[in-house]
Each structure stands twice: as C-alpha cells, then as structure tokens.
C-alpha cells in the first residue's frame, strides 16, 4: 500500500521536500555524483528514517543515504528518495574508555576537534568535509591506516 509525499510530510518531524519546495537540496560536493531525487528527507529523529524507508518501499523508490555528500560517485545519491543524514552530526567521547560515539553526519573536522579535547585521535580521512557515515561504510582509508588499519576495522558497533 503506497501513500503520498503529503502524508509522509505529516508523519515526519523533520523536513520532507520535493523539487520546488523550500529546503529541497540534492546538491553534493561533486556535481557528477548528483541525481535529482523525487523526495529528500532531512530526519529530525530516528523514527523519521524508518518512515522514509517504509515510504520508499511502498512507492517503489530507490533509496540513497547521504552523510556529507562528498562522494564523487552516485553512492550517496538517489533518483528516488534521498535520506540526508547531515543533521545527525553529534560526536561524543568517553574519555575513560577512549571510545568515540559518532552520528553518520559528523564530519572528519567535527571528530578531530572533539577527540583532540581529550588528547585522543581517530581513524579519520584526509579531507575534513567528509562525513563519518560514508567514510566508515566505504572502508575508511586515512592517515592512520598503516598504524591502526581501516576505520571500519576500528568500528566497535553500529546502529542500522
């Protein structure tokens, strides 16, 4: 059973935008990796993500997930429904355990700044504008790969 974008907008607390709506933005760092999406969801809470996925499945739409939009391929794009995770950008460090808790929209810049406060580092990429969600799921090649392996090798857990 499918339902309309208007209904999705009423179900979600975050922004749901289609072409022509204020806030609609499918742009990326690399224009060659952009696909104009039928709908873009900027979730305000985790439940919005679930609602967006259910909407896409019910309406036969491809799904794309974007953290920062830095990918130069269409890996973080969709001509169907795009879930933009950029606002999910919190970084928290447990100093005692020396573990970071990162949301997928957090940029390398955010992670480096937060971990440095505790005299710690992280397996991050070489570009400060890359989101951790895309970076880690892409393997995570960065400065520390020789000493500590890929970022994905250092992932303790993830919520999917």
């Amino acid at each position: 059973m499918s339902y309309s974008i208007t209904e999705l907008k009423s179900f979600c607390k975050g922004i749901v935008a289609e072409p022509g709506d204020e806030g609609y933005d499918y742009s990326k760092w690399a224009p060659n990796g952009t696909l104009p999406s039928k709908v873009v969801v900027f979730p305000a809470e985790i439940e919005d993500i679930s609602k967006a996925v259910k909407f896409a499945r019910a309406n036969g739409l491809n799904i794309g997930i974007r953290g920062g939009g830095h990918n130069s391929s269409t890996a973080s794009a969709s001509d169907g429904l795009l879930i933009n995770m950029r606002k999910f950008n919190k970084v928290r460090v447990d100093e005692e355990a020396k573990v970071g808790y990162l949301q997928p929209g957090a940029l390398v810049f955010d992670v480096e700044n937060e971990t440095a406060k505790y005299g710690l580092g992280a397996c991050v990429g070489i570009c400060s504008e890359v989101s951790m969600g895309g970076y880690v799921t892409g393997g995570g090649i960065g400065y520390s790969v020789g000493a500590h392996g890929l970022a994905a090798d250092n992932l303790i857990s993830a919520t999917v």
Side-chain angles (χ1 to χ4, degrees):
M1 178 174 136
S2 65
Y3 53 96
S4 71
I5 292 175
T6 302
E7 290 172 304
L8 179 63
K9 289 178 180 181
S10 72
F11 298 152
C12 289
K13 291 186 179 176
I15 297 169
V16 176
E18 54 190 317
D21 286 353
E22 185 177 333
Y24 176 82
D25 179 15
Y26 67 90
S27 64
K28 293 179 59 170
W29 168 80
N32 62 319
T34 300
L35 295 172
S37 303
K38 288 182 175 54
V39 61
V40 179
V41 176
F42 298 86
E45 59 185 17
I46 291 172
E47 290 77 16
D48 287 351
I49 300 165
S50 175
K51 292 170 188 171
V53 169
K54 288 177 183 174
F55 172 83
R57 291 182 72 192
N59 288 281
L61 298 175
N62 293 324
I63 300 171
I65 308 291
R66 174 173 306 142
H70 194 272
N71 194 300
S72 60
S73 73
T74 55
S76 60
S78 174
D79 60 356
L81 182 135
L82 178 65
I83 302 172
N84 190 319
M85 299 298 293
R86 186 63 190 102
K87 292 184 180 180
F88 277 67
N89 59 6
K90 290 185 177 64
V91 177
R92 181 176 64 83
V93 174
D94 179 334
E95 185 177 14
E96 186 176 312
K98 296 185 179 179
V99 172
Y101 298 88
L102 317 172
Q103 290 185 319
L107 301 178
V108 166
F109 175 83
D110 303 323
V111 175
E112 289 180 315
N113 281 337
E114 192 61 25
T115 56
K117 292 177 186 176
Y118 302 95
L120 301 171
C123 293
V124 294
I126 57 175
C127 178
S128 64
E129 293 297 314
V130 172
S131 76
M132 294 306 294
Y135 173 68
V136 173
T137 57
I141 299 171
Y143 293 121
S144 60
V145 72
H148 302 290
L150 300 170
D153 297 333
N154 290 276
L155 184 65
I156 296 170
S157 70
T159 301
V160 180

